[in-house]
Amino acid sequence: MPKVNNNSDLINEYLEKIKKEKSVSEGTLKTYKNIGESLPFSLLTSQPVLIKKLKDLYSNANTLQLYLNMIILVRRFKDQDTDKLIKLRNSLKDDIIKSRKKNLDELDEKLPSYDYIMNELNNSSKLRYILNYLILNHGFRNSSVNLKFVKSLPPLEDRDENYIMIKGKDILLNINDYKTKASYGTKEIRIKDEKFKNELKSLNLKNNDYLFAKRNGDKIINVSTFNDKIINHTIDRLGQNKLFKIVIKKLLTDKSFDKLDQISKDRGTSIDVLLKSYNLHAGNGNKEKEKED
């Protein structure tokens, strides 16, 4: 009996299974669902046909790997063969590494220096200072800076947002809603920087106000809208990803490994990922320098 294209049902069945078995973020679930439903052919068709169709559709190695990951998971769930798909996925690793190094090289040439962005930070104020400080000193992603100002933290079982509060002489951040929460849990960060404290106080926030809010004061739920608002407040509109790469380059250049470890924990990203995906030294143009070091 031929296998029909019922990807939507397959994906929903698989997602229900993994939701019961482990903690999976809504973003991951949505991504899996979109990937599966966007394919114009059945995930359960033969491996050679799948491979041909995937190669016809996607020339980018990263995109191809993303789709293969999802297809392999679903096929395993349905006890279907995956050996040829896994072999193709493994063969993409070299292409992905070369592409990443090339992109890091090109990006390194375009980005401003660490001294420049720190000078810009020191000359900024209010929300602009607070946002860029959190990116440059604690590696915050956009989702982590969707902060609610509170006078006191809610009960432990009700902490499902990201909170910022003045506690004694410090600023306390309690971060519960971010990309890698399942791996790193709730993060608590204390900030003693005087300028940060003064800029936060200058906002005159009331209890339960959001730092970056809609015009009516409500929380911004739409991810795209929130990201647009954040990038407009970052230094030179570089966005958190590029700013973070500048910081990682500086820490590695200075061999500031304690600070690297701290920013890894504050962001909720492993050192391994930082070195592979955010390390501007890892580009092709730095191979000889790495050998010398």
Side-chain angles (χ1 to χ4, degrees), residues 42-289:
S42 173
L43 302 179
L44 300 184
T45 193
S46 70
Q47 291 186 88
V49 172
L50 269 176
I51 289 169
K52 183 180 184 305
K53 288 181 178 291
L54 285 168
K55 285 183 173 179
D56 288 343
L57 283 173
Y58 308 109
S59 58
N60 181 277
N62 283 289
T63 304
L64 188 53
Q65 186 186 60
L66 182 65
Y67 277 79
L68 281 166
N69 288 341
M70 179 67 230
I71 292 169
I72 289 167
L73 288 171
V74 174
R75 286 178 68 91
R76 280 178 178 163
F77 170 59
K78 301 303 288 185
D79 294 322
Q80 297 292 311
D81 292 339
T82 58
D83 57 313
K84 293 182 177 65
L85 295 168
I86 291 171
K87 185 176 179 181
L88 173 59
R89 183 178 64 181
N90 291 342
S91 73
L92 296 172
K93 290 179 180 177
D94 286 344
D95 290 338
I96 291 170
I97 290 170
K98 287 176 185 175
S99 175
R100 180 188 294 144
K101 287 183 176 182
K102 180 176 180 291
N103 292 338
L104 287 170
D105 269 342
E106 292 172 353
L107 185 60
D108 195 17
E109 293 173 1
K110 297 175 183 177
L111 292 179
S113 69
Y114 177 81
D115 288 343
Y116 170 82
I117 61 168
M118 292 308 293
N119 185 61
E120 288 294 304
L121 172 67
N122 292 331
N123 289 327
S124 62
S125 61
K126 297 188 179 293
L127 280 177
R128 183 175 164 84
Y129 180 85
I130 290 168
L131 169 66
N132 287 283
Y133 179 94
L134 291 173
I135 294 170
L136 297 173
N137 289 279
H138 298 282
F140 271 29
R141 300 180 183 89
N142 288 356
S143 59
S144 295
V145 295
N146 202 340
L147 291 158
K148 177 190 276 191
F149 179 78
V150 292
K151 300 292 186 181
S152 61
L153 291 172
L156 195 61
E157 63 273 16
D158 296 331
R159 295 177 194 175
D160 56 0
E161 297 189 74
N162 300 329
Y163 306 98
I164 185 169
M165 62 181 292
I166 299 169
K167 189 164 186 178
K169 296 181 179 180
D170 301 339
I171 302 298
L172 177 68
L173 293 104
N174 183 275
I175 309 300
N176 302 279
D177 182 16
Y178 67 102
K179 183 179 178 181
T180 51
K181 166 76 184 295
S183 299
Y184 292 87
T186 296
K187 297 183 294 185
E188 279 211 349
I189 296 167
R190 287 183 178 271
I191 295 174
K192 300 180 180 295
D193 180 76
E194 284 298 325
K195 183 172 171 63
F196 189 98
K197 287 188 277 187
N198 291 334
E199 297 301 340
L200 180 63
K201 290 177 181 178
S202 75
L203 299 176
N204 296 316
L205 296 168
K206 297 180 179 64
N207 193 41
N208 294 325
D209 279 353
Y210 290 96
L211 268 68
F212 296 94
K214 294 180 181 179
R215 289 183 179 178
N216 65 358
D218 288 349
K219 182 179 182 178
I220 300 174
I221 303 296
N222 183 277
V223 174
S224 179
T225 301
F226 187 76
N227 288 345
D228 287 344
K229 196 172 190 74
I230 293 303
I231 200 168
N232 285 327
H233 281 79
T234 58
I235 294 166
D236 289 1
R237 299 189 79 255
L238 285 168
Q240 64 86 14
N241 199 293
K242 291 177 181 176
L243 289 172
F244 188 58
K245 285 176 179 175
I246 294 170
V247 172
I248 295 302
K249 179 183 178 182
K250 173 67 173 175
L251 295 179
L252 290 172
T253 299
D254 292 350
K255 295 181 170 58
S256 301
F257 300 124
D258 286 346
K259 175 65 176 175
L260 186 69
D261 182 59
Q262 172 251 306
I263 209 168
S264 163
K265 292 173 181 174
D266 289 352
R267 183 178 178 86
T269 301
S270 70
I271 296 289
D272 184 55
V273 171
L274 294 186
L275 295 177
K276 286 180 179 177
S277 299
Y278 297 94
N279 177 12
L280 293 170
H281 285 310
N284 292 307
N286 291 292
K287 283 184 178 178
E288 292 305 315
K289 184 180 185 305

